[in-house]
């Protein structure tokens, strides 16, 4: 607003300071800051082992002197591992994913991450971060592998694994320790198991569909019951392993073979004895269905059932049945072999 000032006998018309002309009225909102990263349409990407998956990350505009950094959040230690950094012209890959990742870069605003030959350990949460001075932004996405969770214990009985031994045991069976999300999903699909087992983040759980006395009592509701975080060195439990689609096939060789003869029978066909995770994968993804018990590489005897029937164990639900770990000298079973592609 202009004001009149008396200077001697002259009246002067004085304008207000320039800054007050453009001053924002009290209480009016600040103009919105430009958000460079588009929120992904879907926060989860679903894939299988061996496939190619792309995690979307797209910019609305290109700020000056920006970088985009992709990282993976590791659930076992809550750390972020850098995968790739780019400034739009050049990029650098980091870590064990390095040989299998690239930027899709279908246009100049595209910073999406493509993972080829997806592996079991690729499951998890990823972060695309725009590094732009004080106005850093990020979006998070989750890579989900379609697969199957199975409980696992060694030949010498239940509750023998510390965390590190459980992790190694799953890896030896063509699988990895399951995440909580994978175990929970398996429970919703019918996994009912009374023995507690390690999962990837170092906690211990067991999934119960049918409440019963040996599994916490009949009064406890069904669910994924938890022992919480345990001592990874001292405490001992079973393991919950997770596996996904196979890059190969599992088949059965009939016979009355001991364990050594079963291994030779597979080698005679240019194959190897199947691992437990491979048998579960063939059951899940290839609908392998046989009533015949067969040796596996860990010395156990199992058979996969997709269509339950009375003469195949009599249980009402599909699954991989187990005869445990019989004497390796026993000549009663055939063998399941795995041939890679």
């Amino acid at each position: 607003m202009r004001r009149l000032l008396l200077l001697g006998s002259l009246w002067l018309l004085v304008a207000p300071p320039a800054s007050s002309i453009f001053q924002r009225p009290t209480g009016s909102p600040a103009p919105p800051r430009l958000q460079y990263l588009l929120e992904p349409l879907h926060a989860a990407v679903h894939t299988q082992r061996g496939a190619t998956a792309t995690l979307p990350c797209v910019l609305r505009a290109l700020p000056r002197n920006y970088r985009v950094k992709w990282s993976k959040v590791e659930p076992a230690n809550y750390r972020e591992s850098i995968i790739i950094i780019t400034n739009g012209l050049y990029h650098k890959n980091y870590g064990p994913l390095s040989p299998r990742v690239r930027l899709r870069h279908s246009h100049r605003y595209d910073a999406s991450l493509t993972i080829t030959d997806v592996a079991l350990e690729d499951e998890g949460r990823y972060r695309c971060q725009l590094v732009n001075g004080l106005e850093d932004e990020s979006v998070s996405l989750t890579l989900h592998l379609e697969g199957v969770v199975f409980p696992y214990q060694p030949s010498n009985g239940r509750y023998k694994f510390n965390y590190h031994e459980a992790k190694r045991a799953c890896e030896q069976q063509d699988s990895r320790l399951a995440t909580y999300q994978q175990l929970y999903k398996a429970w919703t699909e019918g996994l009912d198991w009374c023995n507690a087992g390690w999962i990837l983040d170092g906690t211990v759980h067991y999934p119960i569909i049918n409440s019963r006395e040996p599994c916490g009592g009949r009064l406890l509701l069904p669910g994924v019951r938890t022992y919480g975080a345990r001592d990874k060195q001292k405490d001992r439990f079973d393991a919950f392993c997770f596996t996904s689609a196979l890059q190969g096939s599992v088949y059965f060789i009939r016979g009355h073979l001991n364990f050594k003869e079963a291994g030779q029978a597979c080698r005679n066909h240019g194959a190897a004895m199947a691992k437990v995770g491979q048998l579960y994968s063939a059951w899940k993804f290839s609908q392998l269905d046989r009533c015949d018990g067969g040796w596996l590489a860990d010395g156990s005897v199992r058979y996969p059932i997709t269509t339950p029937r009375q003469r195949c164990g009599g249980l009402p639900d599909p699954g991989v049945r187990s005869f445990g770990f019989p004497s390796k000298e026993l000549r009663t079973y055939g063998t399941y072999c795995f041939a890679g592609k």
Side-chain angles (χ1 to χ4, degrees), residues 29-73:
R33 180 176 66 84
L34 175 62
Q35 182 178 350
Y36 286 99
L37 293 179
L38 286 170
E39 286 294 327
L41 189 61
H42 301 288
V45 174
H46 295 265
T47 188
Q48 294 181 354
R49 178 167 55 175
T52 296
T54 297
L55 301 169
C57 185
V58 178
L59 285 72
R60 297 174 189 269
L62 302 179
R64 291 184 178 181
N65 302 320
Y66 78 96
R67 289 180 299 155
V68 170
K69 178 175 73 174
W70 275 99
S71 56
K72 184 174 187 289
V73 180

Side-chain angles (χ1 to χ4, degrees), residues 211-221 225:
S211 298
R212 50 203 186 273
E213 287 303 328
C215 304
R218 298 181 183 276
L219 297 180
L220 286 179
L221 293 174
R225 299 177 183 163

Side-chain angles (χ1 to χ4, degrees), residues 316-337:
D317 300 315
V320 175
R321 320 281 195 236
S322 175
F323 287 115
F325 294 85
S327 167
K328 291 185 177 180
E329 300 304 317
L330 200 62
R331 284 191 171 91
T332 305
Y333 308 104
T335 184
Y336 288 95
C337 305

Side-chain angles (χ1 to χ4, degrees), residues 49 72-75 96-97 100 115 117-126 143 145 167 171 174-177 179 182 200 242-244:
R49 178 167 55 175
K72 184 174 187 289
V73 180
E74 303 295 348
L97 267 174
R100 296 189 289 111
I115 305 173
D117 194 18
V118 170
L120 293 175
E121 59 269 21
D122 297 342
E123 167 107 5
R125 188 160 65 89
Y126 291 77
L143 185 67
L145 269 70
K167 184 173 182 290
E171 291 167 354
D174 192 51
S175 59
R176 70 180 303 219
L177 279 174
T179 65
Q182 290 165 343
L200 187 60
F242 171 84
T243 192
S244 186

Side-chain angles (χ1 to χ4, degrees), residues 290-310:
R290 290 202 68 100
C291 267
D292 307 279
W295 292 103
L296 298 179
D298 67 340
S300 65
V301 172
R302 306 174 194 250
Y303 63 102
I305 296 295
T306 56
T307 305
R309 45 213 186 267
Q310 191 61 39

Side-chain angles (χ1 to χ4, degrees), residues 1 8 22-24 61 137 149 207 223 271 286 338:
M1 180 183 295
F22 302 101
Q23 191 170 1
R24 192 168 56 247
E137 301 175 22
V149 171
S286 302
F338 171 74

